[in-house]
Amino acid sequence: MGCEEPAAVDRGRYPDAVTPWEDEEWRETALAWAEREAAAHGLRAAGRRTVRLRPWSVLVRIPVGERGAVWFKAAPPGGAFEAGLAEALADWIPGRVLRPVAVLPERGWSLTPDGGPLFRDALDRGVAGVPDWEEMLRQYARMQRALIPFAGRMDALGVPDGRVAALPETFDRLVDENAALEGADRRELRRLRPRLARWCAELADTGIPDSLDHSDLHDGQSFVPEPGRFLFFDWGDAVISHPFCSFLVAARAARARYGTGVLPRLRDAYLEPWTGTGPTDAELRRALTLAWRLGAIGRACSWGRLFPGACGGAGPPGEEEGARWLRELLTEPPV
């Protein structure tokens, strides 16, 4: 098999990030596991691997001849739950997520098949547009509703707890511990705390149960294996929280592509599967506005799930990004 780093290594905006890939023994063990599991499913590795290294994941594309490719992913300790969650989701909601070829939950390793074209690629090619965003959000919301009964089982898998009741204490910890926050920002966030607690109480009173929040849902996190059908993947930032918090990142991604005017359409599409669950339409829209704001807490938390020492000596990993998301709490949502 060999253990030299392949020529095709993508480090993106993080050329100095430290990941397990730099450890030759780890690299050899990981690739041997991936190729052994692929072979057990009739998939023989053949061709040059390509590697994508980020402070939060090691991702290796392994060609398997005419069958395309499989993808090996290693998550950091804080996101190791992703492998087991991905396997469980494929059993709980088959056909809505990418089913892994194999997982090794104790190490946070997974091996997945190629899921087909990315939604982002379809958008870039001009073969998808705003109606497809609407349909993606409808399908995602239906998936969240189907997952409500499994919240307790997600706890057992180690999915982080971002339930609305816990958000004020999580907020306190983040504000107190984030060294990248300027003094003025920290003071302003602390003044926000009573309002934040009221937002959480109001959102909980809406009566929509907690479910799975992807926490980084955008056009690069779903495949389009066939027109009109979406497969969701990449659960490393996920939390158990109010489902509406997922709208934040998706809406921001669509707004960057189409402008703020697209947001009411996307909001209504996302809320459509939640109608008839008890709240009025006005209450659902108000809940989405609250969740837009509170979703920033989950995003701030996710930046703590990096490989140990990933950012070298530049301070605790992810703190700058975490601080940026905390400051988003001070901004009025555009919906």
Side-chain angles (χ1 to χ4, degrees):
M1 178 180 63
C3 58
E4 294 300 316
E5 181 170 309
V9 177
D10 168 18
R11 294 181 178 270
R13 297 186 292 112
Y14 305 92
D16 301 320
V18 178
T19 72
W21 185 257
E22 284 71 49
D23 183 322
E24 184 175 317
E25 181 179 354
W26 183 96
R27 189 166 68 241
E28 189 170 74
T29 301
L31 292 176
W33 175 82
E35 294 186 2
R36 185 169 60 250
E37 293 295 337
H41 289 80
L43 303 169
R44 179 179 172 274
R48 175 184 291 185
R49 310 178 195 96
T50 54
V51 183
R52 181 182 181 273
L53 302 179
R54 297 294 187 268
W56 55 86
S57 68
V58 172
L59 190 64
V60 184
R61 182 183 186 274
I62 304 173
V64 287
E66 294 181 358
R67 304 284 292 276
V70 291
W71 297 81
F72 165 80
K73 182 176 183 179
F81 65 86
E82 180 183 4
L85 175 62
E87 183 178 50
L89 290 175
D91 290 332
W92 296 340
I93 46 171
R96 302 187 188 187
V97 297
L98 195 62
R99 179 178 290 276
V101 173
V103 299
L104 192 61
E106 60 268 29
R107 299 200 68 165
W109 291 357
S110 60
L111 188 70
T112 58
D114 193 294
L118 278 175
F119 183 34
R120 176 176 294 164
D121 294 340
L123 292 165
D124 290 344
R125 294 197 313 271
V127 297
V130 174
D132 301 281
W133 274 97
E134 293 174 302
E135 182 56 25
M136 184 271 280
L137 287 168
R138 287 190 197 95
Q139 291 184 25
Y140 177 78
R142 293 186 195 113
M143 181 192 73
Q144 288 184 297
R145 285 198 63 182
L147 286 172
I148 287 172
F150 297 98
R153 295 169 73 175
M154 293 179 212
D155 278 316
L157 291 169
V159 181
D161 184 359
R163 290 175 172 86
V164 174
L167 289 183
E169 289 186 8
T170 302
F171 169 82
D172 291 340
R173 175 179 57 80
L174 291 170
V175 172
D176 288 345
E177 296 179 0
N178 190 299
L181 280 174
E182 299 289 340
D185 289 333
R186 197 185 311 277
R187 288 190 295 272
E188 193 169 358
L189 285 165
R190 284 174 173 158
R191 285 195 294 268
L192 183 72
R193 210 287 191 175
R195 293 178 63 202
L196 183 137
R198 291 195 294 271
W199 296 335
C200 291
E202 184 180 352
L203 188 57
D205 286 345
T206 306
I208 301 292
D210 291 308
S211 181
L212 186 64
D213 170 16
H214 186 289
S215 199
D216 195 26
L217 180 69
H218 54 69
D219 48 351
Q221 305 286 35
S222 63
F223 295 111
V224 189
E226 58 190 67
R229 186 165 79 89
F230 296 87
L231 286 177
F232 302 98
F233 71 102
D234 196 356
W235 304 98
D237 291 341
V239 293
I240 305 165
S241 189
H242 195 286
F244 292 10
C245 291
S246 290
F247 187 73
L248 168 65
V249 174
R252 284 166 58 99
R255 180 178 62 177
R257 197 179 274 268
Y258 302 110
T260 302
V262 76
L263 295 181
R265 288 182 59 177
L266 300 188
R267 174 199 63 198
D268 292 347
Y270 175 76
L271 291 177
E272 184 180 309
W274 300 98
T275 57
T277 57
T280 66
D281 289 349
E283 288 169 339
L284 288 172
R285 289 192 293 270
R286 170 61 178 168
L288 194 72
T289 299
L290 295 168
W292 175 297
R293 204 155 197 169
L294 294 170
I297 298 176
R299 293 299 301 138
C301 286
S302 71
W303 280 95
R305 300 179 210 165
L306 306 183
F307 289 115
C311 299
E319 288 216 328
E320 289 288 348
E321 289 290 344
R324 181 175 68 83
W325 278 105
L326 287 172
R327 287 191 290 268
E328 282 292 315
L329 287 160
L330 303 169
T331 304
E332 290 291 336
V335 293

